[in-house]
Amino acid sequence: MGVCSLDDVLFPGMDVRLDEVVFTAEVLSVSAVACGPPPRCPGCRARARRVHSSYERGLAERPLTGKKLQVRLRVRRFFCDRASCRRRTFVEQVDGLSERYQRSSPGTRQWLRAVAVELGGRAGERLCRHLNLAAGRSKLLSLLEPPAVPDRAPRVLGVDEFAFRKGCTYGTVLVDVEAGRVVDVLPDRTSETFADWLRDHPGVEIICRDRATAYTRAIREAASHAVEVADRWHLLQNLSAAVEKTCHQHRNCLRKHTENEAPVVPEPALLESPPPDLPRTQIIERTRHRHADVRRLVEAGWTISAIGRRLNLDRKTVRRFGDTDIDQLLASAHERRPAGVLEPFKPYLNTRFTETEGQVSGSRLFLEIRERGYRGSRQVVRRHLAALRAGTVEPVRTDIPSPRKITSWIMRPREALTESQERRLLEVRLACPDIARACDLARAFADLVRYQRGYLLLAWIHQAETDAPKPMSGFAGFLRRDLDAVTAGLTLTWSSGVVEGHVNRVKTFKRAMYGRASFELLRTRILTQP
């Protein structure tokens, strides 16, 4: 094995002569001279013959042995003797070490570009400090350059929206579904922008999308020959929303059935008649005050947006409080009251209180329910007992599953339900025929999706439109209006799963940039990072 000189270690294969090396505690400073043959003029490519002058330039190199490496390179300036060339002088460059208008080596910029791609500006700057690389966040971000977008679109294109600011501004991400990589990012989600992109990039054959009407309109205008594939996950999500809405509409059926089936439990005399007013809980009072404020501003002629800004509320919340009756809002707020750890044991406590005519201690009741699985404190039991004696306690609410819980039982595969969940779902189906019908239709449609039986879709739509609750028939109507895309989604193997994964990547980039990144910077990071 031959012995390598310091020149070969610092400048391998380069036409550079090492002059001096200076060691300090933090920096390794190297002085060198370029000694290659006369270069060619970058303008006319003629070989230089005369030296104009020389000067020393500083270059930041990659760290060596944990220290910053600073190179002071002396280079020559040459004359261009060709009369037809507009360039009179030019400076020689050392391949792999120096480039025009740069203060760092190509290897250093390659490192910094990799850091910027993976971490962005601020996080990359912190890492560079640990690596002894001189780079700020602005320099790191300036090294990012988006790759060129191919002239032709991929054969299978996935399209979906993402939020720059949720509820306000959105963009569009385009993905090559076969390769699993982002093709381009658009600044909005309008049909005009997407249609222009499709016209400029022909070649798409299959487009995977959700049920956004803007994308559908753009595809019909600019790529009518392409096969549209509705995403299966979004179809199941829309079905779940229809089922949950059905359960909301028929919640009274469950309440009446539970009250009729519940065993008669003796209650204390103080609890025979429920209090006429709702309890003055925090959520009830907040609902009353919010409804009064919204109604007052609506009657004064304020717009929904102005009311939202004044009360710091979302537009949907303002519209709900403006259009809904106060009694319905209070009932909804009362049902959302969280159940404490004592809730399952209140019927037992009320019964024991009645049997003993109130002559029972809180400590004894605490020991009795602790044997039955209670894990709360003794003080909670004493407070409930004091409320029973004062006559201010509310009646124990019947345990009715929430619409969301019922929907989760219906949408889940049958084999994934426990025996208790199956039993409770059966009770719900017996209590309300409409929910039972929605359950049957939902499970049938889920089977169409899971087993890709698109040829049965029209029969399912006909059943839902003729005999189903209103939310389910409305969902069937939406499917009929987008029949070709939904049928393709239930038949072909393509879906928007890989697109949703890239949408989550976009959210990660936004969080890393604190949500303040411009569109161009965000697009560059999305397209640059594999």
Side-chain angles (χ1 to χ4, degrees):
M1 179 181 293
V3 179
C4 296
S5 64
L6 190 56
D7 300 55
D8 298 330
V9 175
L10 296 177
F11 311 112
M14 301 179 189
D15 295 324
V16 174
R17 185 183 72 249
L18 184 63
D19 271 2
E20 184 183 14
V21 178
V22 179
F23 290 91
T24 63
E26 297 180 354
V27 180
L28 176 61
S29 181
V30 175
S31 298
V33 179
C35 56
R40 293 183 181 273
C41 173
C44 63
R45 306 305 299 167
R47 178 77 65 180
R49 297 179 180 178
R50 296 186 298 148
V51 176
H52 175 277
S53 60
S54 65
Y55 72 97
E56 195 175 70
R57 59 186 295 189
L59 297 170
E61 250 290 7
R62 287 160 289 185
L64 185 64
T65 66
K67 296 178 184 249
K68 291 182 181 179
L69 179 56
Q70 187 70 33
V71 178
R72 304 202 59 84
L73 179 65
R74 179 163 292 278
V75 293
R76 296 165 290 180
R77 180 178 292 275
F78 289 86
F79 285 105
C80 181
D81 294 327
R82 181 169 289 183
S84 60
C85 183
R86 298 180 58 183
R87 191 183 300 273
R88 291 291 173 256
T89 62
F90 61 92
V91 177
E92 65 178 337
Q93 305 296 334
V94 179
D95 292 338
L97 183 61
S98 65
E99 291 180 348
R100 297 178 65 192
Y101 310 124
Q102 300 296 334
R103 297 184 179 182
S104 57
S105 68
T108 303
R109 286 197 303 279
Q110 185 178 359
W111 278 25
L112 296 179
R113 188 178 295 111
V115 171
V117 167
E118 297 295 335
L119 297 178
R122 296 181 184 273
E125 181 182 3
R126 293 193 293 268
L127 178 61
C128 287
R129 283 199 296 265
H130 290 288
L131 297 178
N132 285 326
L133 289 170
R137 58 188 178 92
S138 299
K139 181 177 180 179
L140 289 173
L141 297 178
S142 67
L143 295 174
L144 293 175
E145 296 179 0
V149 179
D151 295 334
R152 294 185 62 82
R155 189 180 73 90
V156 183
L157 178 68
V159 56
D160 202 356
E161 64 185 22
F162 66 92
F164 292 110
R165 184 180 178 190
K166 192 172 183 179
C168 297
T169 55
Y170 288 81
T172 299
V173 59
L174 306 176
V175 178
D176 184 347
V177 177
E178 289 181 302
R181 60 179 180 83
V182 178
V183 176
D184 203 353
V185 181
L186 306 182
D188 54 48
R189 58 175 178 179
T190 60
S191 60
E192 294 79 10
T193 302
F194 185 39
D196 291 341
W197 192 93
L198 289 175
R199 294 189 189 97
D200 296 337
H201 303 81
V204 63
E205 299 178 7
I206 300 173
I207 299 179
C208 301
R209 58 164 178 83
D210 58 10
R211 295 174 57 204
T213 56
Y215 298 144
T216 305
R217 194 181 312 118
I219 296 170
R220 291 173 182 171
E221 291 177 3
S224 57
H225 63 280
V227 177
E228 300 180 54
V229 179
D231 182 51
R232 293 186 285 273
W233 184 87
H234 285 94
L235 293 176
L236 290 176
Q237 184 187 42
N238 296 332
L239 173 65
S240 176
V243 172
E244 185 172 353
K245 191 172 183 180
T246 303
C247 295
H248 268 292
Q249 293 178 351
H250 295 274
R251 188 166 173 79
N252 288 333
C253 299
L254 304 180
R255 184 176 290 108
K256 292 178 181 178
H257 178 79
T258 306
E259 291 175 355
N260 294 335
E261 295 294 329
V264 179
V265 179
E267 295 287 342
L270 294 173
L271 298 177
E272 287 179 356
S273 60
D277 297 328
L278 291 173
R280 300 180 64 86
T281 60
Q282 184 178 2
I283 189 172
I284 295 294
E285 294 302 313
R286 185 173 68 241
T287 302
R288 285 197 177 101
H289 294 158
R290 185 170 290 175
H291 180 268
D293 293 339
V294 171
R295 293 303 308 168
R296 174 172 51 82
L297 295 177
V298 169
E299 293 172 357
W302 288 47
T303 64
I304 292 179
S305 299
I307 297 174
R309 289 191 296 269
R310 176 65 180 271
L311 301 180
N312 196 24
L313 297 175
D314 187 79
R315 287 169 51 88
K316 297 177 185 177
T317 304
V318 175
R319 189 178 290 110
R320 182 167 64 89
F321 274 83
D323 299 341
T324 310
D325 185 69
I326 181 62
D327 294 333
Q328 185 175 351
L329 290 173
L330 291 176
S332 176
H334 182 54
E335 289 180 355
R336 289 200 308 269
R337 181 170 60 88
V341 293
L342 190 63
E343 199 72 25
F345 304 94
K346 284 184 178 180
Y348 177 82
L349 294 177
N350 293 354
T351 303
R352 291 283 292 119
F353 181 84
T354 303
E355 292 174 350
T356 60
E357 298 181 355
Q359 304 300 318
V360 62
S361 66
S363 299
R364 182 171 180 177
L365 291 178
F366 168 75
L367 295 176
E368 291 177 3
I369 63 175
R370 190 174 66 175
E371 295 177 354
R372 290 164 171 80
Y374 175 65
R375 293 296 179 266
S377 66
R378 190 189 304 261
Q379 190 64 28
V380 175
V381 179
R382 289 176 175 173
R383 280 199 298 266
H384 181 70
L385 192 59
L388 287 174
R389 292 191 176 107
T392 58
V393 69
E394 297 179 59
V396 179
R397 294 180 297 170
T398 307
D399 184 17
I400 302 175
S402 66
R404 180 168 296 182
K405 183 175 292 186
I406 298 174
T407 304
S408 70
W409 296 338
I410 295 174
M411 298 302 298
R412 210 175 301 171
R414 298 175 181 84
E415 59 272 11
L417 296 177
T418 63
E419 293 183 2
S420 174
Q421 292 170 344
E422 288 182 354
R423 176 178 52 79
R424 299 201 64 184
L425 179 58
L426 178 60
E427 294 174 356
V428 171
R429 289 169 58 91
L430 294 175
C432 181
D434 287 328
I435 295 181
R437 180 58 177 162
C439 176
D440 294 337
L441 288 172
R443 286 181 165 176
F445 186 84
D447 289 339
L448 297 185
V449 174
R450 293 189 180 100
Y451 302 108
Q452 296 184 357
R453 298 170 178 169
Y455 58 91
L456 299 176
L457 178 61
L458 269 177
W460 187 93
I461 292 177
H462 179 71
Q463 290 181 4
E465 288 178 337
T466 55
D467 180 23
K470 189 174 181 180
M472 297 296 293
S473 60
F475 172 70
F478 282 124
L479 296 183
R480 184 177 290 278
R481 287 194 288 271
D482 200 14
L483 182 61
D484 292 339
V486 176
T487 304
L490 301 186
T491 306
L492 303 179
T493 58
W494 306 109
S495 71
S496 298
V498 64
V499 186
E500 294 294 337
H502 283 288
V503 170
N504 289 332
R505 286 182 62 238
V506 173
K507 296 177 182 178
T508 303
F509 289 142
K510 284 176 50 188
R511 295 189 190 102
M513 296 177 173
Y514 302 98
R516 297 194 294 264
S518 64
F519 167 72
E520 290 298 332
L521 179 57
L522 183 61
R523 176 177 178 270
T524 301
R525 285 209 64 190
I526 295 172
L527 296 179
T528 304
Q529 188 174 39

PDB file of all heavy atoms in Angstrom, residues 52 69 101 141 176 194 251 313 347 402 430 498:
ATOM      1  N   HIS A  52      -3.640  37.021 -16.883  1.00  0.00           N
ATOM      2  CA  HIS A  52      -3.932  38.427 -16.579  1.00  0.00           C
ATOM      3  C   HIS A  52      -3.470  38.781 -15.181  1.00  0.00           C
ATOM      4  O   HIS A  52      -2.765  39.769 -14.959  1.00  0.00           O
ATOM      5  CB  HIS A  52      -5.447  38.673 -16.724  1.00  0.00           C
ATOM      6  CG  HIS A  52      -5.895  40.042 -16.329  1.00  0.00           C
ATOM      7  ND1 HIS A  52      -6.143  40.402 -15.015  1.00  0.00           N
ATOM      8  CD2 HIS A  52      -6.133  41.151 -17.069  1.00  0.00           C
ATOM      9  CE1 HIS A  52      -6.535  41.666 -14.964  1.00  0.00           C
ATOM     10  NE2 HIS A  52      -6.536  42.145 -16.209  1.00  0.00           N
ATOM     11  N   LEU A  69     -13.390  23.212   7.819  1.00  0.00           N
ATOM     12  CA  LEU A  69     -12.302  23.235   6.843  1.00  0.00           C
ATOM     13  C   LEU A  69     -12.496  24.446   5.936  1.00  0.00           C
ATOM     14  O   LEU A  69     -13.467  24.517   5.184  1.00  0.00           O
ATOM     15  CB  LEU A  69     -12.294  21.941   6.022  1.00  0.00           C
ATOM     16  CG  LEU A  69     -11.220  21.838   4.930  1.00  0.00           C
ATOM     17  CD1 LEU A  69      -9.824  22.032   5.524  1.00  0.00           C
ATOM     18  CD2 LEU A  69     -11.324  20.514   4.201  1.00  0.00           C
ATOM     19  N   TYR A 101     -19.009  32.168  -8.921  1.00  0.00           N
ATOM     20  CA  TYR A 101     -19.903  32.892  -8.004  1.00  0.00           C
ATOM     21  C   TYR A 101     -20.257  32.082  -6.754  1.00  0.00           C
ATOM     22  O   TYR A 101     -21.246  32.383  -6.084  1.00  0.00           O
ATOM     23  CB  TYR A 101     -21.197  33.307  -8.706  1.00  0.00           C
ATOM     24  CG  TYR A 101     -20.995  34.009 -10.023  1.00  0.00           C
ATOM     25  CD1 TYR A 101     -21.583  33.526 -11.184  1.00  0.00           C
ATOM     26  CD2 TYR A 101     -20.207  35.153 -10.110  1.00  0.00           C
ATOM     27  CE1 TYR A 101     -21.399  34.156 -12.404  1.00  0.00           C
ATOM     28  CE2 TYR A 101     -20.016  35.801 -11.325  1.00  0.00           C
ATOM     29  CZ  TYR A 101     -20.610  35.305 -12.462  1.00  0.00           C
ATOM     30  OH  TYR A 101     -20.428  35.932 -13.659  1.00  0.00           O
ATOM     31  N   LEU A 141     -32.595  27.036   2.272  1.00  0.00           N
ATOM     32  CA  LEU A 141     -33.792  27.046   1.448  1.00  0.00           C
ATOM     33  C   LEU A 141     -33.500  27.492   0.018  1.00  0.00           C
ATOM     34  O   LEU A 141     -34.177  27.077  -0.927  1.00  0.00           O
ATOM     35  CB  LEU A 141     -34.854  27.953   2.078  1.00  0.00           C
ATOM     36  CG  LEU A 141     -35.371  27.506   3.452  1.00  0.00           C
ATOM     37  CD1 LEU A 141     -36.382  28.490   3.992  1.00  0.00           C
ATOM     38  CD2 LEU A 141     -35.975  26.115   3.377  1.00  0.00           C
ATOM     39  N   ASP A 176     -48.319  10.153  -9.187  1.00  0.00           N
ATOM     40  CA  ASP A 176     -48.210   8.989 -10.066  1.00  0.00           C
ATOM     41  C   ASP A 176     -48.503   7.749  -9.223  1.00  0.00           C
ATOM     42  O   ASP A 176     -47.684   7.326  -8.400  1.00  0.00           O
ATOM     43  CB  ASP A 176     -46.807   8.926 -10.675  1.00  0.00           C
ATOM     44  CG  ASP A 176     -46.651   7.800 -11.686  1.00  0.00           C
ATOM     45  OD1 ASP A 176     -47.535   6.922 -11.732  1.00  0.00           O
ATOM     46  OD2 ASP A 176     -45.642   7.785 -12.413  1.00  0.00           O
ATOM     47  N   PHE A 194     -56.787  22.717 -12.731  1.00  0.00           N
ATOM     48  CA  PHE A 194     -56.544  21.300 -12.999  1.00  0.00           C
ATOM     49  C   PHE A 194     -56.755  20.973 -14.475  1.00  0.00           C
ATOM     50  O   PHE A 194     -56.009  20.182 -15.074  1.00  0.00           O
ATOM     51  CB  PHE A 194     -57.457  20.444 -12.120  1.00  0.00           C
ATOM     52  CG  PHE A 194     -57.204  18.971 -12.220  1.00  0.00           C
ATOM     53  CD1 PHE A 194     -55.912  18.472 -12.322  1.00  0.00           C
ATOM     54  CD2 PHE A 194     -58.254  18.064 -12.221  1.00  0.00           C
ATOM     55  CE1 PHE A 194     -55.674  17.105 -12.414  1.00  0.00           C
ATOM     56  CE2 PHE A 194     -58.022  16.703 -12.317  1.00  0.00           C
ATOM     57  CZ  PHE A 194     -56.735  16.231 -12.417  1.00  0.00           C
ATOM     58  N   ARG A 251     -83.009   8.745  17.091  1.00  0.00           N
ATOM     59  CA  ARG A 251     -82.558   8.540  18.468  1.00  0.00           C
ATOM     60  C   ARG A 251     -83.737   8.436  19.429  1.00  0.00           C
ATOM     61  O   ARG A 251     -83.669   7.735  20.441  1.00  0.00           O
ATOM     62  CB  ARG A 251     -81.623   9.681  18.878  1.00  0.00           C
ATOM     63  CG  ARG A 251     -80.941   9.488  20.215  1.00  0.00           C
ATOM     64  CD  ARG A 251     -79.800  10.459  20.377  1.00  0.00           C
ATOM     65  NE  ARG A 251     -79.226  10.416  21.702  1.00  0.00           N
ATOM     66  CZ  ARG A 251     -78.370   9.499  22.131  1.00  0.00           C
ATOM     67  NH1 ARG A 251     -78.010   8.529  21.311  1.00  0.00           N
ATOM     68  NH2 ARG A 251     -77.880   9.522  23.353  1.00  0.00           N
ATOM     69  N   LEU A 313     -65.980  32.582  16.722  1.00  0.00           N
ATOM     70  CA  LEU A 313     -66.632  31.307  16.459  1.00  0.00           C
ATOM     71  C   LEU A 313     -66.472  30.958  14.995  1.00  0.00           C
ATOM     72  O   LEU A 313     -66.295  31.831  14.136  1.00  0.00           O
ATOM     73  CB  LEU A 313     -68.134  31.371  16.795  1.00  0.00           C
ATOM     74  CG  LEU A 313     -68.515  31.641  18.248  1.00  0.00           C
ATOM     75  CD1 LEU A 313     -70.020  31.790  18.365  1.00  0.00           C
ATOM     76  CD2 LEU A 313     -68.021  30.523  19.146  1.00  0.00           C
ATOM     77  N   PRO A 347     -77.768   3.946  39.544  1.00  0.00           N
ATOM     78  CA  PRO A 347     -79.012   3.208  39.839  1.00  0.00           C
ATOM     79  C   PRO A 347     -78.930   2.391  41.120  1.00  0.00           C
ATOM     80  O   PRO A 347     -79.893   2.350  41.904  1.00  0.00           O
ATOM     81  CB  PRO A 347     -79.189   2.324  38.593  1.00  0.00           C
ATOM     82  CG  PRO A 347     -78.459   3.036  37.506  1.00  0.00           C
ATOM     83  CD  PRO A 347     -77.294   3.675  38.172  1.00  0.00           C
ATOM     84  N   SER A 402     -74.536   6.186  21.652  1.00  0.00           N
ATOM     85  CA  SER A 402     -74.536   7.383  20.815  1.00  0.00           C
ATOM     86  C   SER A 402     -74.623   6.998  19.343  1.00  0.00           C
ATOM     87  O   SER A 402     -74.267   5.864  18.961  1.00  0.00           O
ATOM     88  CB  SER A 402     -73.258   8.189  21.059  1.00  0.00           C
ATOM     89  OG  SER A 402     -72.118   7.468  20.626  1.00  0.00           O
ATOM     90  N   LEU A 430     -83.683  -3.990  16.854  1.00  0.00           N
ATOM     91  CA  LEU A 430     -85.052  -4.312  17.273  1.00  0.00           C
ATOM     92  C   LEU A 430     -85.827  -3.072  17.681  1.00  0.00           C
ATOM     93  O   LEU A 430     -87.056  -3.022  17.519  1.00  0.00           O
ATOM     94  CB  LEU A 430     -85.018  -5.313  18.437  1.00  0.00           C
ATOM     95  CG  LEU A 430     -84.458  -6.706  18.112  1.00  0.00           C
ATOM     96  CD1 LEU A 430     -84.375  -7.547  19.378  1.00  0.00           C
ATOM     97  CD2 LEU A 430     -85.315  -7.403  17.056  1.00  0.00           C
ATOM     98  N   VAL A 498     -52.404   5.792  -2.035  1.00  0.00           N
ATOM     99  CA  VAL A 498     -51.075   6.393  -2.092  1.00  0.00           C
ATOM    100  C   VAL A 498     -51.173   7.913  -2.112  1.00  0.00           C
ATOM    101  O   VAL A 498     -50.297   8.614  -1.589  1.00  0.00           O
ATOM    102  CB  VAL A 498     -50.311   5.857  -3.325  1.00  0.00           C
ATOM    103  CG1 VAL A 498     -51.002   6.277  -4.616  1.00  0.00           C
ATOM    104  CG2 VAL A 498     -48.878   6.332  -3.331  1.00  0.00           C
TER     105      VAL A 498
END
